[in-house]
Amino acid sequence: MNIKAIVYTSNTGYTQKYAKMLGDKTGLPVYPLTDCPLPKGSEIIYLGWLMAGSIVDYKKASKLYDIKILIGSCLGTTGSMDASVRKSHKLPDDMPVFTLWGGFDINKLHGIYKLMMKIVGKAIKNKINKQETKTAEDLKIIDMLDHGGSAVDEKYLEPILKLLQ
Ligand SMILES: Cc1cc2nc3c(=O)[nH]c(=O)nc-3n(C[C@H](O)[C@H](O)[C@H](O)COP(=O)(O)O)c2cc1C
């Protein structure tokens, strides 16, 4: 791999936090997809937030750049959406994909995203409430949906840093 930069799309800032943390740890430059100076075809790590099961602007980023590692920040525990993201973007088995537990703040959302999140939030809660037992993480997700909060943590970047060694 000859990764040139970390490129991200973030709506409310949690994905940007992960992108910056990864930049600090790797020394790679960090750019938002909307303002990225890299030439077409450059190798990158792409991070986006999860919207309705897909990583926002993955397609756009993959047309411009050669994504070597794909990362999504989500409202689920770290790793819990790796398989569904792989499926929804039809990614090959050897493509490194990581979903990281992000954050949520309804006050940072507007318009259609706010409306959509009310629906997605209900669906996430219903799924958890149907489970016979709830883990501490499940309870934290419910609390985040009700009151907002962040689960962004640099420890979740460890497997990605290992891959880059
Ligand atoms: C409209 C909308 C849809 C979302 N859909 C999902 C989803 O399908 N699965 C999920 O885990 N998180 C979902 N989320 C939660 C975000 O992916 C999560 O809060 C993420 O960390 C936000 O990153 P950001 O601050 O960079 O925008 C959704 C959020 C919004 C606003």
Side-chain angles (χ1 to χ4, degrees):
M1 281 193 280
N2 183 19
I3 293 172
K4 296 285 184 232
I6 294 159
V7 180
Y8 70 90
T9 300
S10 179
N11 182 39
T12 55
Y14 301 105
T15 314
Q16 184 188 41
K17 264 191 193 161
Y18 274 127
K20 289 195 167 162
M21 273 180 191
L22 200 54
D24 285 346
K25 294 204 173 283
T26 58
L28 288 165
V30 181
Y31 305 113
L33 181 62
T34 49
D35 189 17
C36 179
L38 295 175
K40 225 177 163 182
S42 302
E43 293 187 11
I44 63 158
I45 298 174
Y46 180 68
L47 295 93
W49 55 284
L50 245 82
M51 178 163 65
S54 298
I55 294 181
V56 170
D57 281 345
Y58 162 73
K59 251 192 198 161
K60 191 173 166 188
S62 66
K63 276 182 193 156
L64 289 168
Y65 305 114
D66 182 4
I67 300 174
K68 292 295 180 193
I69 301 176
L70 178 62
I71 302 170
S73 90
C74 63
L75 212 56
T77 53
T78 293
S80 63
M81 296 187 197
D82 294 358
S84 58
V85 161
R86 192 180 287 288
K87 201 173 160 196
S88 96
H89 290 297
K90 298 188 178 72
L91 301 170
D93 290 346
D94 59 353
M95 168 91 185
V97 173
F98 299 88
T99 51
L100 311 181
W101 197 355
F104 177 62
D105 181 353
I106 193 86
N107 299 316
K108 288 186 183 162
L109 295 175
H110 307 282
I112 186 76
Y113 286 163
K114 196 167 189 166
L115 208 69
M116 274 178 75
M117 195 51 211
K118 280 190 181 155
I119 299 164
V120 172
K122 259 189 202 157
I124 294 173
K125 265 196 212 169
N126 281 344
K127 197 173 161 223
I128 293 173
N129 285 328
K130 270 188 197 152
Q131 293 167 201
E132 263 180 39
T133 50
K134 293 175 192 58
T135 62
E137 285 91 356
D138 291 332
L139 296 175
K140 180 161 178 181
I141 290 168
I142 291 187
D143 188 65
M144 282 168 78
L145 282 163
D146 288 340
H147 308 290
S150 173
V152 173
D153 193 314
E154 61 180 33
K155 72 181 176 195
Y156 297 137
L157 297 176
E158 277 165 20
I160 301 161
L161 294 170
K162 255 191 198 157
L163 192 67
L164 290 167
Q165 272 168 8

